[in-house]
Amino acid sequence: MREETLASKILPVPERLGSYSPDDVVFLLKDLSDVELERGTEDREEAIQGGVHYSEMLPVEYRPTPEYLALFHETLETTARKVALAAGIVSERLIARHGTDLVLASLARAGTPIGILMKRYFRAVYGADVPHYSISIIRGKGIDENAVLYMLREHPGRRIQFVDGWTGKGAIRKVLAEARETMSAKYGIELDDDLAVLADPGRCSETFGTREDFLIPSACLNSTVSGLMSRTVLRDDLIGPDDYHGAKYYKEWLEDDVSNLFVDRVSAYFEEIREEARSLAAELENTPEANESSWQGMKDIARIQEDYGIADVNLVKPGVGETTRVLLRRVPWKILVDRLDNPNLRHILLLAEDRGVPVEVYPELTYSCCGIIRPLNGGTE
């Protein structure tokens, strides 16, 4: 797209959304709060497996039990420093490669709190005010092109850095690669499809803070740890050609919101971990073989599909973060774990017990665990 065309394209002014401060993030999303989009878990699962795209509806938000919420707070206390260190490492790696002349584009919604942590790290440690937006990317439909165009127009010359929370099978990384091709062909815009993540247990990103499949507290909950924002929605009757992808802002959940508590608690450790993060980041940057994308996680998935007769790879959700999502908003069939005494799995075991989902030990997993969605329409071979 020629510069004058980019400048003249009408793009929506971002709406004030979410419970985060605008100093932390700006959501490039259309507010669909007044639209009835939620469908019950069984109903939604049947629709998805019947061919309806997951982005056309929303799950009913899970209201955590007091025991589960207590586990979130306990996990936050025990892992806040670890999360801060991983956020510091991935931030330092970006600085080593690109400096701070960046725009952070976190992928809603799991990427949003991680993008906030990175923005705060740049500010706290380097005094750099790096713009941060939260945008939509949808498997099977692509990236929000209008959001990308808005960031490029508002911040000419800055490199867009995509950010997410963790990797599972690497599906979003592949969508980013497709988006790079689309933006180049359609607009003549060259994007970098590098995806910076806090944790890369799937081994499909070269820019990560850790590859350990540990419990990131923000994976424990849904909107109440993501600025009270829903998953993103893309439906032709709701989203026009000049709109951003949509989402709901659950203001009614404000009393349950721990979004700011999470980022405040973690970022409080930045001063303490900055030198350690710098050292570990330099070590990773100087060890190219440590950053190779082996996609080992996908090899695990193929083995699980064969062992359990799962025809559809989308029914297998690997890693702590993805397994949590299966238990919170899908219809789980069973949970596979590397071992029952893995400390990262306490919330998984609690949720599985709560929903009556069987847990099986599956040795030699790359991940800590893996959730398998129940095939409803002959999904097994």
Side-chain angles (χ1 to χ4, degrees):
M1 177 180 276
R2 295 189 186 90
E3 195 170 323
E4 65 269 23
T5 312
L6 177 58
S8 61
K9 181 172 173 64
I10 297 172
L11 295 168
V13 175
E15 300 180 67
R16 174 76 172 90
L17 290 172
S19 61
Y20 294 119
S21 164
D23 290 338
D24 280 326
V25 63
V26 173
F27 287 96
L28 294 181
L29 294 167
K30 180 178 180 178
D31 187 5
L32 300 178
S33 299
D34 296 331
V35 183
E36 192 65 46
L37 290 162
E38 291 80 5
R39 289 173 71 168
T41 305
E42 298 276 352
D43 182 31
R44 182 171 178 270
E45 191 62 54
E46 193 170 333
I48 289 173
Q49 293 191 36
V52 178
H53 198 276
Y54 71 87
S55 68
E56 295 182 16
M57 55 197 162
L58 291 173
V60 176
E61 284 283 307
Y62 168 79
R63 186 157 206 150
T65 63
E67 294 81 9
Y68 188 76
L69 205 51
L71 182 58
F72 164 79
H73 288 287
E74 183 187 327
T75 302
L76 179 58
E77 288 306 306
T78 56
T79 63
R81 189 187 188 280
K82 190 174 186 174
V83 174
L85 181 59
I89 290 169
V90 71
S91 300
E92 288 286 353
R93 298 184 72 181
L94 291 176
I95 288 167
R97 297 178 198 173
H98 311 291
T100 58
D101 196 20
L102 304 169
V103 176
L104 295 175
S106 61
L107 305 179
R109 67 185 166 180
T112 310
I114 308 308
I116 289 173
L117 291 175
M118 293 171 68
K119 177 182 173 71
R120 288 188 176 191
Y121 186 88
F122 288 133
R123 189 165 50 206
V125 176
Y126 289 94
D129 188 16
V130 176
H132 174 219
Y133 298 92
S134 184
I135 72 169
S136 169
I137 189 167
I138 296 173
R139 176 172 50 81
K141 293 198 175 184
I143 201 163
D144 186 340
E145 294 176 14
N146 287 334
V148 173
L149 295 175
Y150 179 89
M151 291 185 290
L152 289 170
R153 190 172 73 185
E154 291 297 304
H155 308 283
R158 280 187 179 248
R159 175 182 173 276
I160 294 177
Q161 175 63 56
F162 296 102
V163 176
D164 210 351
W166 58 84
T167 61
K169 295 193 293 283
I172 292 300
R173 181 72 198 277
K174 291 177 181 175
V175 179
L176 267 184
E178 291 163 7
R180 178 181 180 171
E181 299 298 320
T182 301
M183 296 302 287
S184 177
K186 259 177 107 167
Y187 305 106
I189 289 168
E190 298 304 321
L191 290 177
D192 189 338
D193 62 0
D194 175 53
L195 181 62
V197 293
L198 194 78
D200 178 38
R203 298 182 178 269
C204 50
S205 171
E206 294 82 40
T207 310
F208 54 85
T210 179
R211 277 183 161 159
E212 182 187 348
D213 188 19
F214 77 101
L215 174 55
I216 302 166
S218 58
C220 284
L221 301 169
N222 283 329
S223 67
T224 52
V225 78
S226 307
L228 297 181
M229 298 300 290
S230 75
R231 293 199 64 165
T232 58
V233 173
L234 186 56
R235 219 169 72 189
D236 290 344
D237 61 324
L238 298 172
I239 307 298
D242 296 322
D243 288 330
Y244 303 124
H245 293 186
K248 294 183 79 163
Y249 174 20
Y250 291 118
K251 300 183 188 73
E252 65 270 26
W253 287 76
L254 198 56
E255 66 181 37
D256 297 300
D257 190 30
V258 291
S259 304
N260 288 291
L261 171 70
F262 171 69
V263 291
D264 288 348
R265 189 76 186 86
V266 173
S267 56
Y269 279 99
F270 285 159
E271 190 60 39
E272 179 183 319
I273 59 88
R274 60 191 291 180
E275 294 305 324
E276 187 180 353
R278 195 169 292 159
S279 172
L280 291 171
E283 195 177 310
L284 282 168
E285 289 298 290
N286 293 324
T287 316
E289 60 272 18
N291 303 305
E292 289 175 0
S293 297
S294 66
W295 294 78
Q296 178 59 42
M298 280 304 294
K299 296 169 188 173
D300 273 16
I301 305 306
R303 182 162 59 100
I304 290 167
Q305 281 188 265
E306 186 175 343
D307 288 350
Y308 289 92
I310 304 292
D312 183 356
V313 70
N314 291 319
L315 298 181
V316 184
K317 302 291 186 181
V320 171
E322 296 306 305
T323 302
T324 303
R325 288 173 165 184
V326 169
L327 286 161
L328 289 180
R329 58 182 188 234
R330 300 298 293 270
V331 177
W333 180 32
K334 57 184 67 187
I335 305 299
L336 309 182
V337 300
D338 61 347
R339 62 182 209 275
L340 288 170
D341 62 347
N342 183 335
N344 291 318
L345 299 180
R346 287 182 58 210
H347 81 296
I348 295 287
L349 299 178
L350 191 66
L351 278 173
E353 183 181 13
D354 189 42
R355 295 200 59 184
V357 180
V359 175
E360 296 181 15
V361 175
Y362 190 81
E364 297 180 26
L365 264 179
T366 301
Y367 308 91
S368 292
C369 58
C370 186
I372 305 180
I373 296 166
R374 181 179 296 281
L376 300 180
N377 302 307
T380 54
E381 295 170 327

